[in-house]
Amino acid sequence: MRSIWNGAISFGLVSIPIKLVNATESHAVSFRQVHSEDNGRIRYRKVCELEDREVTSAEIGKAYEGADGEMIPITEDDLSHLPLPTARTIEIVAFVPGERIDPLQMDAAYYIAAAGAPAAKPYTLLREALKRSHKAAIAKFALRGRERLGMLRVVGDVIVLHGLLWPDEVRAPEGVAPDVDVTVRDQELDLADALMDTLGEVDLDGLHDEYREALEEVIAAKAAGETPPQTPAPADGGKVLDLMAALEKSVREAREARGAEGKAEVRESRGGEGDAEVRDLHGRGTPKETGAKKSTATTGKTAEKKTASARKSTSRAGEPKGAAKKATAKSTSKSTSKAAEKKSAAKKTPAKRGAASGKRPA
């Protein structure tokens, strides 16, 4: 890869000759401006206002426009003699934990390559020191006509330089957040958590630019004289009126896409509260009302269980008379009187008593 900058890293008294290489590239599809009537190219010509003629690139220089409109010429020689130690040096000024860097400050990225064999040892020393300390180096450097802030970190076996915006270049987010009071319920957060857990992580290497691919298909179709493919508009458009329904549907569809069990698992991830909680999540009741519904539902289920138990016991209570007679016939002479008493008691006790006790007479 072609280097775009040659210089050195200043690490205390250690100087490491290095080269910068672009770490990123753009794959965006570019267009030309044309005349809509005949597809003729639209070009921009560089014209001198004083002479009213087009000039070549060799004739173009730099100048700073003063407040009164005066042009102050600045030559490349002027820029090369700037009194800056960072003109040809990446000067490390501090080492900080990586999480201290605000992602809003992140700019372009560059690979740092050691310039020649003598630079291999100090380059490796800095790389291993950054690895072991789990820190990033904050540095200042000059590139493309201005001094910039940067961060050095290790990626694999390579040191990477990230250009950083100066702190005063990051705008404060004033007036961006919603200016209305909004209350988010725990149930809503639970569903949002369930959706995040269901979507899970992603392999970033598997992501690609679908817009660019679709655009390339359109260009290929137009070049072949065919009708470009069209993507149908999404069916669900407009505003989301029921946030909870939308969240619940999103979780369900995400689980189904991953081969999960569907909505039943969504409820389990929220604690298995059942239909009463789902009704509340749709906004058709307050948390207190939901609790009352859950309590009523629980009482009804308990009553049904007791009724079912009573029916079972009643069905069993019809058995004891024959069993008691059989047991009495086989008893010994010593227990004849006791067996007779039990037999008599079993005949007199109604079936309901057996159902209430839940025990089979011996």
Side-chain angles (χ1 to χ4, degrees):
M1 292 185 284
R2 185 174 63 87
S3 63
I4 62 168
W5 187 89
N6 295 327
I9 295 177
S10 174
F11 178 33
L13 297 178
V14 178
S15 180
I16 311 172
I18 56 96
K19 298 182 294 184
L20 285 189
V21 177
N22 281 321
T24 61
E25 60 185 2
S26 174
H27 292 161
V29 177
S30 59
F31 295 99
R32 300 289 189 184
Q33 289 187 328
V34 298
H35 187 198
S36 299
E37 294 183 2
D38 54 16
N39 287 339
R41 283 282 305 276
I42 302 297
R43 298 182 183 274
Y44 292 94
R45 303 184 185 277
K46 298 177 181 179
V47 178
C48 173
E49 293 180 349
L50 297 179
E51 299 181 11
D52 193 22
R53 70 176 181 87
E54 186 177 354
V55 296
T56 63
S57 298
E59 299 176 88
I60 299 175
K62 297 178 181 178
Y64 176 80
E65 184 175 3
D68 57 355
E70 180 187 1
M71 294 297 176
I72 304 172
I74 302 295
T75 66
E76 292 297 329
D77 187 60
D78 295 331
L79 296 176
S80 64
H81 290 85
L82 286 175
L84 285 177
T86 58
R88 282 293 172 186
T89 303
I90 299 176
E91 182 183 5
I92 296 177
V93 297
F95 292 88
V96 300
E99 56 270 18
R100 285 269 306 276
I101 305 302
D102 188 345
L104 285 173
Q105 291 183 253
M106 302 289 282
D107 202 357
Y110 309 92
Y111 290 132
I112 298 179
K121 180 66 179 287
Y123 181 98
T124 304
L125 170 65
L126 177 58
R127 183 190 67 197
E128 296 304 314
L130 290 172
K131 277 185 179 180
R132 191 167 71 172
S133 65
H134 301 288
K135 290 184 177 180
I138 302 300
K140 296 169 68 176
F141 65 104
L143 181 65
R144 297 192 174 103
R146 66 187 184 96
E147 187 175 60
R148 306 176 63 183
L149 191 64
M151 174 186 72
L152 279 69
R153 69 185 184 98
V154 178
V155 176
D157 292 331
V158 177
I159 300 175
V160 178
L161 170 65
H162 291 273
L164 299 179
L165 299 176
W166 296 98
D168 59 359
E169 292 181 315
V170 179
R171 301 172 62 184
E174 296 177 358
V176 178
D179 58 355
V180 295
D181 293 332
V182 178
T183 300
V184 179
R185 296 181 296 163
D186 289 340
Q187 293 93 335
E188 293 169 332
L189 286 174
D190 289 342
L191 263 184
D193 289 342
L195 179 58
M196 292 167 63
D197 292 340
T198 304
L199 294 176
E201 298 183 358
V202 66
D203 181 10
L204 295 179
D205 293 334
L207 300 179
H208 58 280
D209 188 349
E210 296 182 7
Y211 178 84
R212 177 173 59 87
E213 292 178 353
L215 188 58
E216 290 173 347
E217 290 180 5
V218 170
I219 294 173
K222 295 275 285 187
E226 303 173 354
T227 302
Q230 296 183 354
T231 303
D236 299 333
K239 297 169 63 177
V240 178
L241 299 179
D242 191 338
L243 176 61
M244 298 312 302
L247 280 171
E248 197 168 40
K249 183 179 179 182
S250 299
V251 176
R252 182 172 63 252
E253 290 179 352
R255 287 186 181 277
E256 289 174 353
R258 291 176 177 269
E261 295 179 2
K263 192 172 182 179
E265 290 190 11
V266 177
R267 291 179 180 172
E268 290 177 6
S269 69
R270 296 201 308 268
E273 294 297 339
D275 292 338
E277 182 182 358
V278 173
R279 284 193 293 271
D280 176 56
L281 292 178
H282 281 287
R284 293 191 279 271
T286 62
K288 291 184 179 179
E289 292 172 344
T290 304
K293 290 179 182 178
K294 287 163 67 175
S295 177
T296 304
T298 305
T299 304
K301 290 180 181 178
T302 305
E304 288 177 5
K305 288 181 180 179
K306 288 184 178 179
T307 304
S309 176
R311 288 176 182 170
K312 277 187 177 180
S313 299
T314 304
S315 63
R316 291 177 181 174
E319 299 177 5
K321 291 184 179 180
K325 289 180 180 180
K326 189 174 181 181
T328 304
K330 291 183 178 181
S331 62
T332 60
S333 58
K334 291 183 181 180
S335 59
T336 301
S337 59
K338 292 183 179 180
E341 290 175 1
K342 290 182 179 180
K343 182 177 179 182
S344 176
K347 288 180 179 181
K348 291 179 181 180
T349 302
K352 288 183 179 180
R353 184 177 178 185
S357 62
K359 297 179 181 180
R360 293 181 59 183

